[in-house]
Amino acid sequence: MSNEGTARLRTETSPNAAGLRRGLWLSFLDAYGLEVAANCGADWIGVDLQHGTLQPCDVVGLLRVAEQAGLPLLTRMPSHDPALISRAIDAGVNGIIIPGVDTAAQARALAAASLLPPLGSRSTGTARITLRPNNTADVPLLLPMIETALGLQNAAEILAVHGVDGVFVGPYDLTVSSGFSSPTSPETLSALKHVISLARRAGKTVGFMAGRPELLAMADQADLVAVDTDVTALRNGLAGLFATTA
């Protein structure tokens, strides 16, 4: 096992780098499913522990497959729970995406939960990450999600927090929270562009969930873009398969 995935994320999502760009977002695929999908052309894997059927105990198996395929793996946590964040880091994930971060105070608490003393409060112990060389320096990317009207209002302050590596925008929840008409409305696209601009000015990483052509068209402006989910891939793939036999 190595820490190359995290190093690659930090290098390729830094400002002015080419970026990893395209990710596959998993909500139900297990380790075997990821073995099947690993060579689909994705640059990184997102594991959604907030929605779908995947559980924290699934992360290690998915990590083994992702590491074998040379793909950085990021997890969206189900909450702000420091214990769950610590367990994900102990497993060896390359990045942590935290849902519903509305304020800089919340971001500071998340940074503290992610970092060892004296910078933070995360404890050490026997864990999978200890199998890596120089594991104490292998801190995964911390990306709070901007997905509410309040989070959008405070995005600059969230990005300024020490220990926060960037932000990940959730345009679907942001649309609902802000009262916009759709995830591809001019208002949503403008908000996404605004957060991307803020991240660029802060010199930090920015990503977002796509899932629609209008959002995917903005991929070249960001560092990490979840192209779509395993659910959509399965649905579209099966529909296309049976359409050829109709």
Side-chain angles (χ1 to χ4, degrees), residues 98 101 144-148 151-152 154-155 158 167-171 174 195:
I98 310 288
V101 180
M145 287 196 75
I146 304 298
E147 56 179 349
T148 66
L152 179 62
N154 294 324
I158 291 169
V167 292
F168 198 89
V169 183
L174 180 59
V195 177

Side-chain angles (χ1 to χ4, degrees), residues 10 96 98 101 103-115 119 139-146 154-168 199 202-206:
R10 291 193 179 280
I96 297 176
I98 310 288
V101 180
T103 66
Q106 289 177 328
R108 282 191 290 271
L110 294 168
S114 303
L115 298 171
L119 299 177
V139 180
L141 262 66
L142 175 62
L143 304 175
M145 287 196 75
I146 304 298
N154 294 324
E157 289 79 6
I158 291 169
L159 279 161
V161 170
H162 179 73
V164 166
D165 295 289
V167 292
F168 198 89
K204 295 192 175 182
T205 296
V206 60

Side-chain angles (χ1 to χ4, degrees), residues 2-91:
S2 73
N3 57 11
E4 291 178 0
T6 301
R8 184 178 168 213
L9 276 174
R10 291 193 179 280
T11 300
E12 297 194 31
T13 64
S14 63
N16 302 318
L20 290 171
R21 299 285 188 239
R22 304 174 303 164
L24 174 63
W25 196 258
L26 305 186
S27 64
F28 75 90
L29 279 184
D30 59 10
Y32 172 58
L34 183 55
E35 282 184 302
V36 173
N39 294 319
C40 68
D43 299 309
W44 57 277
I45 300 298
V47 175
D48 193 347
L49 301 181
Q50 184 185 24
H51 301 295
T53 62
L54 294 173
Q55 301 296 320
C57 61
D58 297 316
V59 171
V60 170
L62 292 165
L63 263 169
R64 290 192 179 108
V65 176
E67 289 166 350
Q68 184 70 25
L71 295 172
L73 185 143
L74 297 87
T75 57
R76 173 161 71 175
M77 304 307 299
S79 68
H80 295 199
D81 186 342
L84 292 177
I85 292 171
S86 183
R87 292 294 293 270
I89 295 173
D90 284 347

Side-chain angles (χ1 to χ4, degrees), residues 196-241:
I196 291 173
S197 175
L198 291 175
R200 289 286 173 259
R201 272 184 265 167
K204 295 192 175 182
T205 296
V206 60
F208 64 89
M209 169 61 73
R212 298 196 183 187
E214 297 90 341
L215 292 165
L216 195 55
M218 297 178 61
D220 62 351
Q221 300 180 40
D223 304 299
L224 297 167
V225 178
V227 172
D228 218 321
T229 67
D230 51 2
V231 172
T232 298
L234 178 62
R235 181 187 296 122
N236 291 348
L238 288 173
L241 175 66

Side-chain angles (χ1 to χ4, degrees), residues 1 60 63-64 67 90-93 125-132:
M1 190 194 318
V60 170
L63 263 169
R64 290 192 179 108
E67 289 166 350
D90 284 347
V93 300
T126 303
R128 183 174 183 268
I129 196 174
T130 62
L131 300 175
R132 292 177 173 173

